[in-house]
Amino acid sequence: MTDLRQPALDALRDLVGRDDADFHDGQFEAIEALVEGRRRALVVQRTGWGKSAVYFVSTLLQRRAGAGPTLLVSPLLALMRDQIAAAERAGVRAVAINSTNAHEWRDVEQQLAADEVDVLLVSPERLNNPSFRETQLPALVDRIGLLVVDEAHCISDWGHDFRPDYRRLRDLIAQMPADVPVLATTATANSRVVADVAEQLGATTAALGGSDARGGDVDDRDAAADVLTIRGPLARASLRLGVLRLPDSPSRLAWLLNHLDELPGSGIIYTLTVAAANDTARLLREHGHAVRAYTGQTDPDERAESEGMLKRNEVKALIATSALGMGFDKPDLGFVLHLGAPSSPVAYYQQVGRAGRATESADVLLMPGTEDPDIWHYFATASMPDEERANRVISALSPEQPTSTPALEAMVDIRRTPLELLLKVLDVDGAVRRVQGGWVATGAPWVYDGDRYRRIAAERKAEQQHMIEYETTDVCRMEFLQRSLDDDTAAPCGRCDNCAGAWYPTAVGGEASAAARGALDRVGVPIEPRAQWPTGADRLGVPVKGRIAPDERAAEGRALARLTDLGWGGTLRELFAAGAADAPVPPRVLDGCVRVLAEWGWAERPVAVIAMPSRSKPQLVDSLARGIAEVGRLPYLGALELVDGGPTGQPGGNSAFRLAGVWGRFSTAGLDVPAGPVLLVDDQVDSRWSLTVAARELRRAGATEVLPFALAVRG
């Protein structure tokens, strides 16, 4: 292709539907580097700049020249849906293979075989699916015309949203012919992340016109050996940033009740936890606001429906966790509001970038919470591999016989979610491999890179402090965010609250405050009974398997609240904080528990109260059980007896080990268990195996039903 610009411009105009459209600075340079130079390129540009135009236009030009399909690695289902819709508008035939469309996989395979696909979208996790990796990927690699890695900051464990499966892309690139171009795109990468991503793409970085290129001639070094970085200014002129500090969760929710309708258009309200998203959405709906919750626990079909409703302005807002983040495309999104701050300015920039992409103005307001640092700490440590755990997993795996994840979980005492994350890290490191039927050890030596993880942990801590500085700074907020991403074009925006004064109301009405406090004062969380013994328990000396016999099960129980709840969660977190002294239950907490019991609606009223034995909070549990018995005018029979020192399971282990740790450790000796329902009182509920085993003992001792009650549900 000797004259690429005109056909590229024609394709761009078809894509955006405007005859006067032209390239932004850097767009054509990236297309030229991919299509003519067959290069590897990293594009770091603000949200709305048009990164998708680069890969769709490049795909069209490549396909017209006879190249194979583009493989687009995309991290989120919401992003895939938007990318497919954008591709259709551009006349690009795009299909996806993901966890929600297994019924379409055969059709996709046939379309690929018939060369009827221009872009195939897959998640990074799909690259390690044994069937896809072994039967489809090799043929695709032989034909691939372009590899696109979207949201490429996920490659870097220095980034705010690292995903281990992205590290596999380096191996994929190594398998491809050297002349297949590669494009990585992101809106959120500082210099450290840019360097790391370029390394994962397999080469050194060659910048276009310097380290922060915005035009000029392409570096003439060997294109096959270098990664071209095109990096633009990250300022978002449409965004009006602000920070509103209010004393507590009820005040923040009351502000929303008062002022949500004053925010422009429709938008996203981000929370840090699933519980906060659900609580906030429920409160706003009850007061007439059209909102929906959107979290990683929301059903996929419901999530897709909610995305569509937001795009059509059928709701005022989605109350979302970070599950609604990267790449969600609503060009006229009017506002982004945060109830609680993300853990770094980089992560914050990523989320606020959803707003104002095709509007002159959009409002962005951060309402930080005092609980934010505790939540940051949890998520920062959850993703770090632990050396002892890693060695335990490697040792447990056979090099020949695959072990399924549930079976491995029962062998190594690591819960499913952290175990799956650890397996991904070890797989990327080459120590284990996913095959049909489970996991095997490769036999390759594995060394824990402690220095690297300590540096990453220190970087995470520094980012958290940087976020606190963003909240309290008196300089331009957009300039602060740009500098956080090492954008040397940063300058005052003239629009944020520090540049132009507070643009948002600060008053919180008394009626709204009362409504918010009333909503957060709600009590009562179900404790679902265990119905199935965990896989592998029999291998640990626990002689049970399959379903729990109905006459040995607990009934559905109740807890005062979750530890993560916006309302009672704060009180309970103080009660169970590390180092908090054991003491009798506070009167206010007991009153809340009595309210839960009054609203329970059990089929038959309990005839007695029994306590779980507690080694950490004996005063708390005993006083709680006695208080409930006194208010309910029920006999308090005392606590179950601990056998052989009591439970050995530690918080955080998996079900089989947790069950083994409490099996046979509770005794009804000394208790006159009545032939009727009994209320079983505990302090916290985590895995529910202690309550399950204790209920089994009480049922076997004659109780017709066991009704578990606890102060707090963890998580």
Side-chain angles (χ1 to χ4, degrees):
M1 299 182 186
T2 57
D3 185 10
L4 188 68
R5 186 176 184 89
Q6 190 57 50
L9 187 59
D10 292 341
L12 175 72
R13 289 172 174 172
D14 289 341
L15 175 66
V16 300
R18 282 178 39 215
D19 292 338
D20 61 342
D22 204 348
F23 291 111
H24 297 145
D25 287 346
Q27 276 184 319
F28 178 70
E29 289 79 6
I31 293 167
E32 187 178 42
L34 295 169
V35 177
E36 286 195 338
R38 324 294 296 172
R39 297 192 66 176
R40 297 175 185 177
L42 170 59
V43 172
V44 184
Q45 297 281 0
R46 67 183 184 276
T47 301
W49 172 83
K51 295 181 286 295
S52 61
V54 172
Y55 50 75
F56 284 140
V57 170
S58 297
T59 294
L60 286 171
L61 297 176
Q62 293 250 95
R63 294 288 281 161
R64 290 171 187 169
T70 291
L71 179 63
L72 172 54
V73 180
S74 185
L76 294 177
L77 294 176
L79 179 53
M80 284 190 187
R81 286 190 283 266
D82 283 341
Q83 288 164 324
I84 290 174
E88 290 175 354
R89 293 193 297 270
V92 177
R93 298 169 296 180
V95 296
I97 293 179
N98 59 53
S99 58
T100 68
N101 70 342
H103 59 288
E104 299 175 2
W105 292 357
R106 182 61 61 86
D107 291 341
V108 170
E109 290 176 24
Q110 293 174 350
Q111 289 174 278
L112 284 167
D115 199 25
E116 297 171 350
V117 173
D118 297 321
V119 177
L120 174 65
L121 293 92
V122 299
S123 69
E125 290 78 11
R126 183 62 43 188
L127 297 175
N128 201 40
N129 175 276
S131 175
F132 181 81
R133 186 186 66 211
E134 293 163 14
T135 63
Q136 294 171 274
L137 190 58
L140 192 59
V141 167
D142 287 342
R143 297 177 50 224
I144 189 170
L146 170 67
L147 173 65
V148 178
V149 183
D150 206 6
E151 306 296 351
H153 59 273
C154 295
I155 291 176
S156 174
D157 51 12
W158 298 105
H160 70 278
D161 201 12
F162 169 57
R163 290 179 54 174
D165 286 289
Y166 262 75
R167 286 284 190 184
R168 299 185 212 286
L169 291 166
R170 183 167 192 165
D171 295 334
L172 175 61
I173 292 169
Q175 297 173 39
M176 298 188 319
D179 63 344
V180 173
V182 179
L183 171 66
T185 69
T186 181
T188 47
N190 57 22
S191 296
R192 183 194 292 270
V193 173
V194 167
D196 196 23
V197 172
E199 180 184 345
Q200 298 312 308
L201 295 182
T204 60
T205 301
L208 180 60
S211 62
D212 201 10
R214 295 171 189 85
D217 296 328
V218 175
D219 191 300
D220 61 2
R221 286 183 288 176
D222 184 356
D226 292 333
V227 175
L228 172 71
T229 299
I230 299 178
R231 185 170 182 174
L234 300 177
R236 295 288 307 280
S238 64
L239 299 186
R240 184 167 61 162
L241 304 176
V243 175
L244 176 59
R245 302 178 70 85
L246 293 171
D248 51 28
S249 293
S251 300
R252 295 195 294 274
L253 291 180
W255 188 95
L256 269 181
L257 287 174
N258 277 148
H259 303 296
L260 176 57
D261 286 338
E262 299 167 16
L263 294 171
S266 57
I268 301 171
I269 300 171
Y270 281 108
T271 68
L272 297 185
T273 67
V274 171
N278 291 330
D279 288 348
T280 303
R282 183 186 64 213
L283 171 64
L284 291 172
R285 280 197 306 271
E286 288 173 352
H287 287 78
H289 295 285
V291 300
R292 291 177 68 134
Y294 187 111
T295 76
Q297 296 179 14
T298 305
D299 179 80
D301 289 339
E302 185 179 339
R303 274 189 274 173
E305 182 183 39
S306 294
E307 292 164 23
M309 293 178 73
L310 180 61
K311 290 177 181 179
R312 296 187 297 271
N313 297 315
E314 295 171 0
V315 292
K316 180 66 177 180
L318 296 185
I319 318 301
T321 63
S322 58
L324 182 68
M326 293 179 290
F328 175 75
D329 186 17
K330 177 177 166 57
D332 63 341
L333 196 74
F335 65 89
V336 169
L337 188 146
H338 282 77
L339 295 177
S343 60
S344 76
V346 179
Y348 186 59
Y349 181 89
Q350 166 71 252
Q351 291 181 348
V352 303
R354 302 298 102 222
R357 298 179 60 178
T359 60
E360 291 185 2
S361 179
D363 289 344
V364 172
L365 185 62
L366 171 63
M367 302 172 72
T370 55
E371 69 278 7
D372 295 351
D374 292 337
I375 298 172
W376 298 342
H377 175 74
Y378 171 79
F379 286 115
T381 55
S383 62
M384 293 291 179
D386 177 89
E387 182 176 13
E388 186 275 330
R389 283 183 163 194
N391 284 320
R392 207 189 314 159
V393 168
I394 295 170
S395 299
L397 291 175
S398 161
E400 295 93 15
Q401 184 64 38
T403 303
S404 69
T405 304
L408 182 61
E409 184 182 9
M411 297 164 63
V412 297
D413 190 18
I414 305 173
R415 280 187 175 181
R416 182 70 57 86
T417 299
L419 176 59
E420 289 175 339
L421 180 60
L422 179 56
L423 284 166
K424 288 180 179 181
V425 172
L426 292 175
D427 189 356
V428 171
D429 287 348
V432 306
R433 182 171 174 79
R434 187 181 175 197
V435 297
Q436 293 288 354
W439 297 87
V440 295
T442 64
W446 181 81
V447 178
Y448 179 75
D449 193 347
D451 288 342
R452 180 178 181 84
Y453 290 122
R454 280 188 290 273
R455 292 196 303 272
I456 293 169
E459 181 73 11
R460 295 278 187 272
K461 195 170 184 65
E463 288 174 348
Q464 293 169 14
Q465 180 58 38
H466 212 196
M467 193 66 213
I468 292 172
E469 292 169 3
Y470 172 80
E471 296 170 12
T472 58
T473 186
D474 58 2
V475 304
C476 171
R477 298 198 192 275
M478 181 57 74
E479 180 181 6
F480 188 101
L481 291 178
Q482 287 180 262
R483 293 197 186 283
S484 297
L485 278 87
D486 297 323
D487 180 0
D488 60 16
T489 69
C493 70
R495 293 170 55 86
C496 72
D497 56 355
N498 284 342
C499 287
W503 49 264
Y504 41 82
T506 58
V508 177
E511 186 176 336
S513 292
R517 292 186 186 280
L520 295 182
D521 192 42
R522 284 181 179 162
V523 294
V525 174
I527 301 173
E528 297 294 335
R530 290 281 190 179
Q532 189 89 13
W533 298 114
T535 302
D538 53 333
R539 301 192 195 108
L540 300 174
V542 180
V544 291
K545 61 171 56 178
R547 294 186 64 78
I548 301 174
D551 61 356
E552 294 185 349
R553 287 184 201 169
E556 182 182 84
R558 293 290 187 277
L560 175 60
R562 297 180 184 88
L563 283 178
T564 55
D565 284 351
L566 290 176
W568 280 92
T571 299
L572 294 174
R573 287 193 296 271
E574 291 179 8
L575 206 59
F576 296 112
D582 181 29
V585 62
R588 176 174 174 267
V589 174
L590 179 58
D591 289 344
C593 294
V594 171
R595 287 166 50 201
V596 176
L597 297 171
E599 298 169 4
W600 194 324
W602 41 51
E604 187 177 352
R605 192 175 190 270
V607 298
V609 177
I610 295 174
M612 288 290 289
S614 174
R615 291 179 297 184
S616 61
K617 301 286 185 185
Q619 283 192 72
L620 179 65
V621 176
D622 182 70
S623 64
L624 175 62
R626 289 181 185 276
I628 289 173
E630 182 177 350
V631 172
R633 298 180 180 178
L634 298 170
Y636 174 49
L637 305 182
L640 291 164
E641 212 175 279
L642 289 175
V643 178
D644 296 333
T648 60
Q650 296 298 315
N654 66 53
S655 280
F657 276 84
R658 294 294 291 277
L659 174 60
V662 298
W663 186 259
R665 299 303 177 100
F666 305 118
S667 171
T668 60
L671 293 179
D672 186 13
V673 180
V678 297
L679 190 70
L680 180 60
V681 177
D682 204 355
D683 54 358
Q684 295 188 70
V685 176
D686 187 7
S687 70
R688 291 170 287 154
W689 286 117
S690 291
L691 287 175
T692 301
V693 171
R696 179 177 183 269
E697 294 300 318
L698 289 168
R699 295 292 302 272
R700 289 160 68 98
T704 59
E705 193 170 43
V706 176
L707 301 160
F709 179 82
L711 289 176
V713 173
R714 297 185 65 86

